[in-house]
Amino acid sequence: MGGDRAGLLWQSVDRLGLEEPNLVDRLHAGVPAYGGGPFSYRDEAIVVGWVVRRPDGGFSLTEITSLTVVRQGKRYEVRFER
């Protein structure tokens, strides 16, 4: 991406680290936790932010501007003000 901040669409079925302060608090405030299992959230999500390469060569998503959790057809919007 080399400094170019043009909009790019990237889709992953693998796990991608999210680097966002207070992410869990924001989720708890806007999205009901899923009960009855070992995970609070294990839903499809649409996340808008910047993909960056970590020092170990992997990737993380940072500077998140919005997150949409989709559970059983219902969408929960979590906004991040910058």
Side-chain angles (χ1 to χ4, degrees):
M1 287 193 258
D4 180 10
R5 291 200 159 233
L8 298 173
L9 179 63
W10 183 69
Q11 184 174 5
S12 173
V13 295
D14 297 321
R15 292 178 185 222
L16 181 65
L18 301 179
E19 294 180 17
E20 183 63 43
N22 305 316
L23 178 61
V24 173
D25 291 338
R26 290 175 191 256
L27 282 170
H28 285 155
V31 182
Y34 184 79
F39 303 101
S40 295
Y41 301 97
R42 191 173 185 156
D43 303 290
E44 176 184 345
I46 302 162
V47 186
V48 177
W50 297 105
V51 176
V52 296
R53 186 177 299 271
R54 296 187 315 249
D56 68 3
F59 294 94
S60 289
L61 191 62
T62 187
E63 296 184 42
I64 296 171
T65 57
S66 70
L67 181 140
T68 303
V69 175
V70 181
R71 182 183 299 145
Q72 297 177 339
K74 184 168 181 174
R75 292 175 171 254
Y76 299 91
E77 304 284 336
V78 179
R79 296 279 177 206
F80 298 83
E81 301 301 323
R82 296 277 175 215

